[in-house]
Amino acid sequence: MAQHIAQKLRLTAAVLGTVTRKDLAAAFRGVNPKTAFDLGRADKWLQGRSQPRELSVYDDWTKLLKLEQPGAWIAESDLPGFTAAICASHGIDRAELERRANAHFETAAGHEERSPGLALAGTYACYSSALSPYYRGQLIRGSLSIDVGPGANGLTAAYREALPTGQLLLGGQMTSAKRGLYAHLKEASGEAQFFLCLFPHSRPGSVLGGYLCGTTIIGPEPQPSLTRILMVRLRNPAPQAWGGYLPPDGSIAADLASLGLSVEQTEAVDRQLAQFLVGDSDGGASQIPPAEFRAIVDVFDRHWLSHSA
């Protein structure tokens, strides 16, 4: 059974002089261009939350360290034995290797903290204008989870709303760019789709904001809709039952406090957040009345049909 994987990876990075996960992944690719050492999963391996399941990763690992032992030995060896093997293979003193490993861990933490992906990863409480005409003028709460996915800059996002009709869950890729943060989210078991266009991420990353674009989920007919959205970062995930429409007289500050995020001057904060979310709208999402669009469709359909013969 594999053991001490996180510590072994840190010792490996220390002896190789690789500073970041990206550097370590590049070193693995150096011995096997098709290595199963995945940059996205390496974060969990280094945190001890999981371990490589593919035996080929350990085979590549022993080649990387130029050890005589087979890959399975790396997975199953105890930490003192693994450390001794590295020291013997690379001619380094044990105390010096451990010193490098400790220094490497601090340096790598600084580099990873500056990584946009890791800086964005987390759970956010989201507030936006309800798209449904039945709840026009109210705010709806949702939760957004951002995770580091495969690839050097891979981010995945999952957005959830607790609707009267059941849970709405959408997911997809998120892209962090200099001029903005973008996500195209799709419902796995349905047809709903949302697009997020947000302000660029800034340190320390306590809040995200921008626009959400999509069609109404609850209503007599679908309407293309646009609303401002605010996403406040939480220290702990929101309960599964949390979410749904905020009562008309509900307080966002009080709602955040129920999630463990208490702010001072709650009334002033509520006014500021409400002003941001409402913006220049009439208090609800920006929507085009279907009748207005159908009137234009009627004009051009008639013209098209009259000239199609």
Side-chain angles (χ1 to χ4, degrees):
M1 179 181 294
Q3 58 178 340
H4 310 300
I5 297 303
Q7 295 94 322
K8 291 174 181 176
L9 281 173
R10 289 172 187 157
L11 288 168
T12 299
V15 77
L16 296 176
T18 56
V19 177
T20 66
R21 290 178 298 118
K22 186 176 181 180
D23 296 334
L24 187 58
F28 269 83
R29 288 196 302 272
V31 297
N32 179 8
K34 297 183 179 180
T35 184
F37 187 95
D38 183 87
L39 184 59
R41 288 179 292 173
D43 181 50
K44 295 182 179 180
W45 297 342
L46 282 163
Q47 293 179 13
R49 292 189 289 159
S50 65
Q51 55 197 24
R53 296 181 180 180
E54 297 87 346
L55 293 178
S56 62
V57 172
Y58 301 103
D59 292 335
D60 294 339
W61 198 342
T62 193
K63 294 176 184 177
L64 179 63
L65 290 174
K66 300 178 181 179
L67 299 177
E68 297 180 356
Q69 293 87 340
W73 177 86
I74 288 186
E76 299 170 358
S77 62
D78 58 27
L79 198 56
F82 179 80
T83 305
I86 290 182
C87 291
S89 176
H90 293 266
I92 183 173
D93 179 73
R94 181 189 183 96
E96 173 62 16
L97 177 60
E98 292 177 346
R99 185 195 67 78
R100 289 186 190 180
N102 290 333
H104 166 269
F105 179 73
E106 295 176 359
T107 303
H111 277 262
E112 302 298 356
E113 180 63 25
R114 291 191 291 272
S115 165
L118 289 180
L120 282 165
T123 302
Y124 298 78
C126 306
Y127 300 88
S128 60
S129 293
L131 304 187
S132 170
Y134 302 136
Y135 297 91
R136 186 165 183 83
Q138 288 184 234
L139 297 178
I140 188 167
R141 300 167 292 178
S143 65
L144 179 76
S145 297
I146 301 177
D147 290 314
V148 179
N153 299 307
L155 289 171
T156 58
Y159 179 72
R160 177 179 60 83
E161 287 182 353
L163 300 176
T165 53
Q167 292 280 339
L168 174 67
L169 180 62
L170 306 95
Q173 294 295 312
M174 176 170 274
T175 302
S176 178
K178 290 183 178 180
R179 301 187 66 84
L181 186 63
Y182 312 96
H184 184 190
L185 308 177
K186 301 179 181 180
E187 186 181 15
S189 58
E191 298 181 349
Q193 297 189 41
F194 286 160
F195 180 74
L196 296 174
C197 179
L198 309 175
F199 283 103
H201 169 259
S202 61
R203 304 292 177 178
S206 61
V207 64
L208 301 174
Y211 281 112
L212 178 148
C213 180
T215 55
T216 51
I217 304 299
I218 300 178
E221 54 188 334
Q223 284 183 269
S225 307
L226 180 71
T227 175
R228 293 188 181 191
I229 187 168
L230 195 64
M231 306 168 173
V232 182
R233 192 170 191 170
L234 302 175
R235 297 190 181 276
N236 298 298
Q240 189 71 18
W242 177 84
Y245 296 100
L246 192 70
D249 58 349
S251 162
I252 296 179
D255 193 54
L256 288 172
S258 72
L259 299 175
L261 199 161
S262 298
V263 295
E264 299 176 352
Q265 300 178 330
T266 56
E267 292 184 1
V269 170
D270 274 333
R271 286 195 299 270
Q272 187 175 11
L273 298 184
Q275 182 178 1
F276 173 86
L277 291 171
V278 172
D280 53 3
S281 71
D282 61 357
S286 177
Q287 295 173 315
I288 303 170
E292 290 186 12
F293 180 63
R294 284 197 297 267
I296 295 175
V297 170
D298 181 71
V299 171
F300 284 92
D301 276 357
R302 291 179 184 278
H303 180 273
W304 180 272
L305 293 171
S306 66
H307 291 78
S308 62

